[in-house]
Amino acid sequence: MIRLLSDNFPDDSFTYGTSQFINQSNHNSVDIVIIDVETEGEILPTARLYKKQQKKVIIWGNPFNKNELTELFKLDLEGYLYRTMVKEEVLNALNIILKGGKYIHPALSNVLLEEYLALTNEAGNRPDKLLTKREWDILELITQGYSNEQISKQMVISDGTVKNHVSNLLKKLEVADRTNAVLTAIRNRWFIIK
């Protein structure tokens, strides 16, 4: 990576290395910091530090820890590079970043998409007195595709009790069947569908 940077970007100031190396070095004149995630250092604090210093921060690695990658996405870094990238891909990504853009390797986009969907599919507020707590719990299990028998086992209640709760919640929601209850719940964003 160091040779690739020096050969192709002689006029730009990059720092590349482990987060421990970067943390121990004084890089005031550096504009872009590339952090190798396969190191033992603390990646998140290092990325935060350089973002606060108005540096462009690029993460380079494989594999990524999903939870850590999600936190790194929240930092709005300039680049998320995958170690398996070929030279041309790396050069393209760095050129995009140098021109003020952002780059996320396609192999990492699933994690970003999952995070986006989780944020946009957050459950909305449920009407306080529409259903009882038990009915809300049963409706949530219905939206997840549970049958009455599965709900009975999950909640450790009898099939008859489940049927009574389902009947009550259908009346309260003013719907004819479970399918319409699920559609009502989704339309009103009462639950996150995964």
Side-chain angles (χ1 to χ4, degrees):
M1 175 62 89
I2 294 171
R3 183 169 184 158
L4 176 74
L5 295 172
S6 61
D7 288 350
N8 291 281
F9 303 98
D11 298 332
D12 296 296
S13 56
F14 286 88
T15 294
Y16 170 80
T18 67
S19 57
Q20 186 176 17
F21 167 78
I22 294 169
N23 284 332
Q24 292 172 352
S25 304
N26 182 12
H27 298 287
N28 292 329
S29 64
V30 171
D31 298 319
I32 299 178
V33 176
I34 301 174
I35 302 171
D36 187 336
V37 299
E38 291 185 5
T39 63
E40 299 172 21
E42 295 292 322
I43 296 150
L44 283 166
T46 303
R48 282 188 191 104
L49 171 72
Y50 284 103
K51 282 299 282 184
K52 284 180 185 175
Q53 294 176 3
Q54 307 298 309
K55 309 290 185 194
K56 292 182 179 184
V57 180
I58 299 170
I59 300 299
W60 166 266
N62 171 30
F64 283 93
N65 171 305
K66 182 179 176 181
N67 293 332
E68 189 169 55
L69 184 57
T70 299
E71 291 303 310
L72 288 166
F73 281 139
K74 290 176 185 177
L75 293 178
D76 191 29
L77 305 180
E78 282 66 32
Y80 303 84
L81 308 184
Y82 210 59
R83 188 168 300 286
T84 59
M85 294 170 72
V86 295
K87 178 182 175 182
E88 291 75 25
E89 285 180 295
V90 174
L91 293 174
N92 180 51
L94 293 174
N95 279 314
I96 289 169
I97 293 165
L98 286 169
K99 291 176 182 172
K102 304 222 183 242
Y103 182 87
I104 300 172
H105 189 274
L108 307 176
S109 61
N110 264 356
V111 175
L112 182 60
L113 180 60
E114 287 173 17
E115 180 68 15
Y116 170 77
L117 291 174
L119 291 172
T120 58
N121 287 333
E122 287 184 6
N125 291 331
R126 300 177 193 156
D128 285 337
K129 298 185 182 189
L130 179 63
L131 302 176
T132 66
K133 168 140 178 36
R134 183 69 85 169
E135 289 166 345
W136 281 116
D137 293 342
I138 289 173
L139 181 57
E140 182 173 19
L141 293 174
I142 291 171
T143 63
Q144 294 173 12
Y146 281 61
S147 67
N148 284 353
E149 182 180 336
Q150 291 170 317
I151 292 170
S152 170
K153 289 178 182 174
Q154 176 78 20
M155 298 184 76
V156 192
I157 56 177
S158 72
D159 281 344
T161 303
V162 172
K163 287 177 187 175
N164 286 337
H165 284 304
V166 170
S167 177
N168 288 338
L169 72 87
L170 293 177
K171 285 178 192 170
K172 290 177 181 178
L173 294 176
E174 299 176 353
V175 295
D177 53 35
R178 296 164 67 102
T179 302
N180 282 301
V182 170
L183 290 173
T184 299
I186 292 169
R187 220 177 279 123
N188 289 295
R189 299 181 65 171
W190 292 335
F191 300 103
I192 299 172
I193 305 300
K194 295 181 181 178

